[in-house]
Amino acid sequence: MNDVKQFENRNSRMIKKMSNDKSLNNLSKKLISDSSKYEYSYHFKWLGLPIIQLPQDVLVMQELIWKIKPDVIIETGIARGGSLIFYASMLKLLGTTGFVIGVDIDIRSHNKKTLERHPFYNRIKLIQGSSIDTKTIQNVKKLIKNKKKILVVLDSNHSHDHVLQELNLYAPFVKKGSYVVVFDSIVQDMPSSFVKKRPWGIDNNPKTAIWEFLKTNQRFKIDKDIENKLLITYAPDGYLKCIK
Ligand SMILES: C[S@@+](CC[C@H](N)C(=O)[O-])C[C@H]1O[C@@H](n2cnc3c(N)ncnc32)[C@H](O)[C@@H]1O
């Protein structure tokens, strides 16, 4: 067996073992929960703009983008734009003509201006509106016409009903081999104090929406290998691989 294969096999064995280590996995949840008191996920930037993610998830998104080489990445919920710049810069690195669609109900004018001045803005198309509005979906459809490989990231309103609607509306754009990534499913695994002054919480969040969606949709499967290796993620059960 060559060295590369041996390395991969060893990694797989270790990741599997790690996923069965209950005390380590509890420690991970405690880390996510306790650090959220200090708004840990707000503290990072990508090429100058805030990206509200755990660094671990960002690294794995890079792996997915390299693997899928998407023509278009659609993100619902863009906040301060760092994630859009991250996706745009990855697509530029791929050397393709890929672009990013960012959908947000509230694109604040200062965030929009900063985005527009950014060197990677030429790969970004913004849509202001709710991600589940008919008009928004029509605009998205126009932009992705004739595009084959679409990667979808859902990170907007995290309530069960909203995410379930997003899954039903955006998952059809994704074809075999690509993914829908649903962020903030971690809410289900956190103490109720994790979410403050939001309409979502335990039993009403992206994870419960994913579970509901998968009851009737056989095209997608939770990619457990990703979260097992991540150990620390905001998207447990949220890396959905399109398998047919
Ligand atoms: C968690 S933040 C997104 C973080 C961003 N993806 C990042 O990685 O930096 C959630 C965003 O979702 C937006 N949002 C809330 N409800 C929405 C809806 N119905 N449709 C689209 N965007 C929405 C909010 O305005 C906010 O900017």
Side-chain angles (χ1 to χ4, degrees):
M1 197 186 299
N2 72 29
D3 172 63
V4 176
K5 195 84 198 135
Q6 265 179 17
F7 181 72
E8 297 290 346
N9 286 350
R10 188 178 172 81
N11 283 344
S12 298
R13 281 200 306 276
M14 284 298 172
I15 290 166
K16 190 150 190 262
K17 264 182 151 175
M18 185 168 71
S19 72
N20 291 323
D21 184 335
K22 281 213 171 75
S23 120
L24 182 62
N25 280 278
N26 285 338
L27 207 57
S28 155
K29 283 188 189 138
K30 183 160 169 50
L31 176 81
I32 295 174
S33 164
D34 287 6
S35 63
S36 78
K37 284 185 247 169
Y38 309 101
E39 300 178 348
Y40 178 76
S41 65
Y42 285 69
H43 303 163
F44 302 95
K45 290 182 180 165
W46 190 269
L47 302 181
L49 292 193
I51 177 166
I52 305 168
Q53 297 296 350
L54 295 181
Q56 285 80 359
D57 285 311
V58 177
L59 197 68
V60 116
M61 287 307 294
Q62 167 274 140
E63 289 189 13
L64 279 186
I65 293 166
W66 177 254
K67 192 164 98 173
I68 299 163
K69 301 194 171 40
D71 301 314
V72 185
I73 300 175
I74 306 171
E75 180 177 62
T76 66
I78 68 166
R80 292 168 190 271
S83 48
L84 290 185
I85 296 296
F86 164 56
Y87 302 133
S89 63
M90 285 306 306
L91 292 173
K92 164 101 177 165
L93 277 175
L94 291 182
T96 63
T97 55
F99 65 92
V100 184
I101 301 173
V103 177
D104 202 294
I105 199 163
D106 177 20
I107 306 179
R108 308 222 171 127
S109 66
H110 64 282
N111 291 332
K112 187 160 186 264
K113 273 191 199 125
T114 314
L115 268 171
E116 283 167 353
R117 275 191 243 114
H118 199 281
F120 287 100
Y121 186 68
N122 59 354
R123 284 181 179 255
I124 295 172
K125 299 186 195 304
L126 294 176
I127 299 175
Q128 175 149 302
S130 175
S131 54
I132 56 173
D133 271 8
T134 311
K135 202 167 158 224
T136 303
I137 299 299
Q138 278 169 354
N139 285 333
V140 169
K141 279 185 180 161
K142 262 186 226 152
L143 289 169
I144 62 172
K145 200 166 174 229
N146 301 326
K147 302 292 176 195
K148 289 194 177 75
K149 283 185 278 178
I150 318 268
L151 169 63
V152 167
V153 183
L154 304 179
D155 194 20
S156 69
N157 175 322
H158 300 309
S159 63
H160 174 97
D161 288 348
H162 186 86
V163 178
L164 186 57
Q165 285 190 67
E166 283 189 324
L167 279 164
N168 286 321
L169 289 165
Y170 290 82
F173 301 148
V174 174
K175 301 291 174 247
K176 191 176 169 187
S178 190
Y179 283 70
V180 175
V181 180
V182 187
F183 279 116
D184 277 28
S185 47
I186 190 69
V187 167
Q188 181 68 10
D189 308 334
M190 292 286 109
S192 54
S193 57
F194 186 76
V195 177
K196 289 179 196 78
K197 295 189 197 142
R198 301 282 194 193
W200 50 88
I202 295 168
D203 294 337
N204 170 15
N205 59 64
K207 197 185 248 189
T208 56
I210 293 162
W211 291 342
E212 179 93 33
F213 173 74
L214 292 179
K215 279 184 199 162
T216 54
N217 193 308
Q218 275 84 49
R219 290 182 61 235
F220 289 86
K221 171 175 157 270
I222 296 169
D223 190 336
K224 279 281 179 191
D225 291 346
I226 294 186
E227 70 187 74
N228 286 346
K229 79 170 171 180
L230 274 173
L231 181 65
I232 297 166
T233 176
Y234 266 4
D237 287 3
Y239 287 92
L240 303 181
K241 185 173 187 179
C242 184
I243 51 167
K244 55 182 164 187

